[in-house]
Amino acid sequence: MGMTMSEKILAKASGQASVKAGEIVTVKVDIAMMHDLLGPFLIDKGFRRLGGTLFDKEKVVVVSDHCTPPATVHQANILKQTRDWAREYDIPYYYEFEGPCHQVIVEHGHVRPGRLILGTDSHTCMAGGLGAFATGIGSTEMIGVLLTGETWLKVPETIRVVWDGKLPEGVSSKDIVLKTIKDIGHAGATYQTLEFAGSTINDLSIDDRLVLSNMAVEAGAKAGLIQPDEKVIEFLRSKGVTEEIDMISSDSDASFIRTLHYDATQLEPQVACPHNVDNVHPVSSVEGVKVDQVYLGSCTNGRLEDLRVAASILKGKKVSKHIRCLVVPASQHIWMQANKEGLLDILTEAGCIVNMPSCGACGGFTSGVIGEGEVVMSSSNRNFKGRMGSPKSEVYLGSPATVAATAIEGKIVDPRKYLLKEVL
């Protein structure tokens, strides 16, 4: 019997020729990632008490993103402690004010096919879009990883999600993943891997693939994987990665616990309604819901292609005077690229407010949290009660196109009526 991508990566990390789903293995970690909110601020005392010696500082990445820029003294203190800890332990890969950690580690070449990446954030699974087994762990568990470079994992079973066909105009990877989560359920893939495949997935850009892997955890998945190809090689070479790249893939006779098949040509824009990510409906069934704010950004959908789509819809138009439209590029690099292309000019002229790259309002931390009774349409990844501010607010999730179209009318609308035929 062949092995899945997950089994191959964990077999390599455990030093074994093969492993099977359900086995518990001790694995060596390639990258240990922490951010400010769940990193040094929480682990410092325990880490020092147990010896305080890093297993390999070259394999540790620390990103300050959740509390940037700090809105309170408490947040400023968290950033200071994170910064000081990274300096004390001479961490060569410390990033601050560059954007959400998941995007940052991708852009700086830390994510590569076949690697095992553990991070103190549930959306660490986003790295699976490049073929890495990446998953979130708790801060206490991270202490053990930092000290030893090892941990134990149960080898997950894999659900194979196959999408074939060409996506219709106005439909994107966000709609793919929302539809998939609806069918699997918010806990339907608990401690399993979602492996996305098919002609539709092969046609997706790196930006779009990262959306799928980012939101795998919203179905309870341990990881979200996509087989690497020439697009991944080209992307990594552009980030300065010169070493040979492991073109890992599942064997043809690998065992999958379940296989789902979809026809992408029949997909229409999807919207996740309050208060669960699997409460998904076609946009046509929720059109007309009035909103107070729209939010374009996050580590899920704040990349360059997302900003291009939004700009193509908003160019020459105005945001509804009854709402607020916040745009948060997923990284400083993306911000600069969008600025060079004139996308930020288009968005600001339409009435959008462009904020600095950070986790911001996505997690209800800074820069645009919502109040009681307010409704937001967001391109981010979660809509639980209180996720973006008040627990008495409501969060809808949709694609960047849906967010941009909603911004124009001040109510949820099908983006296909606004999408331009021409590419900027």
Side-chain angles (χ1 to χ4, degrees), residues 303-331:
R303 282 174 279 276
L304 193 59
E305 290 182 4
D306 302 318
L307 301 181
R308 287 171 177 161
V309 167
S312 73
I313 292 174
L314 285 162
K315 187 175 183 178
K317 301 179 179 65
K318 291 292 184 181
V319 170
S320 168
K321 64 180 180 180
H322 301 295
I323 71 163
R324 311 177 298 277
C325 179
L326 305 184
V327 177
V328 185
S331 73

Side-chain angles (χ1 to χ4, degrees), residues 192-224:
Q192 296 173 341
T193 292
L194 292 185
E195 183 177 317
F196 294 92
S199 63
T200 311
I201 309 303
N202 295 337
D203 288 342
L204 294 178
S205 65
I206 298 299
D207 280 6
D208 279 329
R209 294 180 190 185
L210 293 173
V211 176
L212 304 181
S213 54
N214 179 285
M215 292 193 66
V217 70
E218 307 309 333
K222 190 73 172 175

Side-chain angles (χ1 to χ4, degrees), residues 160-396:
R160 189 170 173 84
V161 182
V162 181
W163 282 83
D164 285 311
K166 182 177 176 59
L167 285 171
E169 184 180 14
V171 181
S172 69
S173 60
K174 185 58 164 278
D175 303 304
I176 287 177
V177 75
L178 288 179
K179 172 61 176 172
T180 302
I181 293 169
K182 174 186 179 180
D183 291 348
I184 294 176
H186 70 272
T190 299
Y191 216 110
Q192 296 173 341
T193 292
L194 292 185
E195 183 177 317
F196 294 92
S199 63
T200 311
I201 309 303
N202 295 337
D203 288 342
L204 294 178
S205 65
I206 298 299
D207 280 6
D208 279 329
R209 294 180 190 185
L210 293 173
V211 176
L212 304 181
S213 54
N214 179 285
M215 292 193 66
V217 70
E218 307 309 333
K222 190 73 172 175
L225 284 167
I226 299 174
Q227 178 181 329
D229 58 10
E230 290 300 319
K231 292 179 183 178
V232 172
I233 294 177
E234 182 180 352
F235 176 83
L236 291 175
R237 296 297 183 234
S238 75
K239 302 305 177 184
V241 177
T242 58
E243 66 186 49
E244 185 176 350
I245 296 171
D246 184 2
M247 302 301 285
I248 190 168
S249 63
S250 291
D251 293 325
S252 59
D253 59 344
S255 177
F256 300 101
I257 189 173
R258 186 180 176 192
T259 301
L260 304 178
H261 291 276
Y262 293 94
D263 179 0
T265 66
Q266 301 302 308
L267 187 64
E268 65 175 283
Q270 305 287 300
V271 174
C273 303
H275 295 283
N276 291 295
V277 185
D278 61 357
N279 184 19
V280 176
H281 303 273
V283 67
S284 56
S285 67
V286 293
E287 280 193 287
V289 174
K290 293 183 179 179
V291 303
D292 300 286
Q293 178 171 297
V294 298
Y295 187 85
L296 174 65
S298 83
C299 60
T300 312
N301 277 114
R303 282 174 279 276
L304 193 59
E305 290 182 4
D306 302 318
L307 301 181
R308 287 171 177 161
V309 167
S312 73
I313 292 174
L314 285 162
K315 187 175 183 178
K317 301 179 179 65
K318 291 292 184 181
V319 170
S320 168
K321 64 180 180 180
H322 301 295
I323 71 163
R324 311 177 298 277
C325 179
L326 305 184
V327 177
V328 185
S331 73
Q332 188 72 358
H333 173 72
I334 292 170
W335 195 102
M336 292 187 291
Q337 288 298 113
N339 189 46
K340 287 180 181 178
E341 292 186 17
L343 303 179
L344 302 187
D345 287 341
I346 293 172
L347 295 171
T348 52
E349 287 170 5
C352 302
I353 301 168
V354 181
N355 287 338
M356 68 153 286
S358 73
C359 291
C362 173
F365 300 108
T366 61
S367 307
V369 298
I370 51 179
E372 291 186 14
E374 291 196 301
V375 177
V376 62
M377 165 56 77
S378 175
S379 69
S380 54
N381 46 39
R382 284 186 176 154
N383 63 346
F384 309 147
K385 282 188 177 183
R387 169 69 180 180
M388 298 186 71
S390 170
K392 296 183 179 179
S393 62
E394 293 186 339
V395 178
Y396 291 80

